[in-house]
Each structure stands twice: as C-alpha cells, then as structure tokens.
C-alpha cells in the first residue's frame, strides 16, 4: 500500500480570505501552490507514494475565513486518511535581513520531528538556504488537529531579497528538497 501524503499549500488565491504574506510583488499563496504541485508530481510518479493537494487547482479556495480555511484542510487529511501531513508556507519578517528555512512541529521526539529534520536538511542541501532548525509550535491549528505526523515547512523568507530570489526562481528545487527529505526519512535511496 502506498504511503499517503497530504500536501497543504498554505493560504488561498489572491483576492480571497487567508491570503498569506506578500513582498516585492510576490504572493505567498502562489509560491506555496506551485511548490505543492511540483511535490505532488514527484511523489505521485513514485509508486511507493500517493499524494493529494489541498489546492489542486490555482483557483481552489478553502473555507470562508482564516479559521474555516484551516479546518477544511485538516478535515480532508483526517478523512482520507493521510499517513503524513505536510503544510507548505513561506516566512516573512519586518527585519529583511532575517533569512532561512524553518520547520514547525507540534512536539519534539516524535515522527513529525524526524520527518521535519529530514525535510529541512533536504531543502538546505538542494536550495542552499540557511538552516534555522526545527521549532515546536503547538498552537498551530494544522499541527494540533491533524491526526497523523504533521510538519509545517517555512520554505524561506519572502521578505529577504536573497531568499525571495530563491522562492521566485527555485520553486521546483524547493519541492525536490522536500521530496529528498521524505525519501531519506523512509530510508529510500535518492
Ligand atoms: Zn503562511
């Protein structure tokens, strides 16, 4: 049986509720959408995996506000039921010098923790972002309510000019980094 991975592309298309951060004319939800599509493509071309997307088309809108948007994503993953939940986001900070990749989990010393370590290493290896490590964020709804190991990946900082260029130009590489991280977590050769 294939390992079922639910890929949640953070936020909704521009113009709707829950749209995420925006810097330098780029929108978080466009980046997370495309990285998710690439990641699903990589996983679904490997018979060991089956991936589903929270936003299968660019115009998919989930929920009617920030809360119900998150509820819908988690419900879909729980009802499938997925074996793993991977939420994709991009970070931002008013201090534009802050950069790098972070992965959030509900709790340390869990399968989520080991998957997060593998995924962050995969991204840093492929894309060359700074490794900001794993952080516990137990208040994040999707991490709290998903019934399977779940990680929230902050690919890089859209507010940092160098990270922004990577987020704009290296979207496939971000997906590849996550994919390699998943492969290593399972001990599959890459
Ligand atoms: Zn976000």
């Amino acid at each position: 049986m294939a390992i079922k991975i639910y890929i949640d592309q953070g936020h909704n298309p521009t113009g709707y509720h829950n749209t995420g951060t925006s810097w330098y004319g780029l929108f978080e939800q466009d980046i997370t959408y495309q990285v998710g599509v690439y990641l699903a493509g990589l996983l679904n071309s490997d018979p060991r995996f089956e991936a589903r997307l929270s936003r299968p088309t660019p115009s998919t809108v989930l929920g009617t506000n920030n809360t119900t948007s998150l509820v819908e994503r988690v419900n879909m993953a729980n009802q499938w039921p997925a074996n793993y939940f991977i939420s994709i986001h991009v970070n931002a900070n008013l201090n534009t010098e802050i950069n790098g990749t972070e992965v959030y989990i509900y709790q340390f010393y869990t399968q989520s923790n080991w998957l997060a370590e593998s995924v962050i290493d995969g991204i840093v290896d492929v894309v060359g972002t700074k490794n900001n490590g794993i952080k516990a964020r137990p208040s994040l709804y999707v991490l709290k309510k998903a019934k399977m190991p779940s990680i929230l990946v902050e690919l890089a900082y859209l507010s940092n000019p160098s990270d922004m260029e990577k987020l704009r130009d290296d979207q496939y590489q971000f997906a590849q980094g996550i994919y390699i991280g998943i492969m290593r977590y399972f001990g599959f050769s890459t």
Side-chain angles (χ1 to χ4, degrees), residues 48 52 56 58 60 74 90 101 113-114 118 133 135 140 150 170 190:
R48 293 174 290 199
R52 279 189 194 173
T60 307
V74 172
V90 312
T101 303
N113 189 172
W114 318 136
S118 219
K135 296 168 197 235
L140 288 177
S150 56
D170 302 341
T190 53

Side-chain angles (χ1 to χ4, degrees), residues 73-185:
R73 296 160 203 260
V74 172
N75 284 352
M76 277 194 276
N78 286 344
Q79 281 160 15
W80 183 6
N83 301 120
Y84 293 87
F85 184 106
I86 298 179
S87 192
I88 299 172
H89 286 257
V90 312
N91 227 329
N93 195 291
L94 290 175
N95 179 352
T96 58
E97 288 180 11
I98 293 178
N99 67 92
T101 303
E102 294 158 27
V103 178
Y104 300 150
I105 56 172
Y106 183 75
Q107 203 177 318
F108 286 106
Y109 306 106
T110 57
Q111 289 304 318
S112 304
N113 189 172
W114 318 136
L115 177 62
E117 281 193 359
S118 219
V119 164
I120 201 167
D121 287 348
I123 293 172
V124 169
D125 285 356
V126 176
V127 186
T129 47
K130 183 157 79 76
N131 189 336
N132 289 338
I134 318 292
K135 296 168 197 235
R137 289 279 187 279
S139 62
L140 288 177
Y141 183 88
V142 297
L143 300 181
K144 190 164 59 179
K145 295 293 186 181
K147 290 177 179 162
M148 63 291 302
S150 56
I151 64 173
L152 189 148
V153 184
E154 296 278 5
L155 300 172
Y157 279 80
L158 193 56
S159 44
N160 174 261
S162 165
D163 270 15
M164 176 274 283
E165 288 180 6
K166 293 184 171 80
L167 289 165
R168 184 190 60 199
D169 302 334
D170 302 341
Q171 294 174 2
Y172 184 76
Q173 285 83 349
F174 276 103
Q176 247 188 335
I178 298 172
Y179 176 66
I180 285 168
I182 294 169
M183 297 282 281
R184 287 181 187 158
Y185 166 81

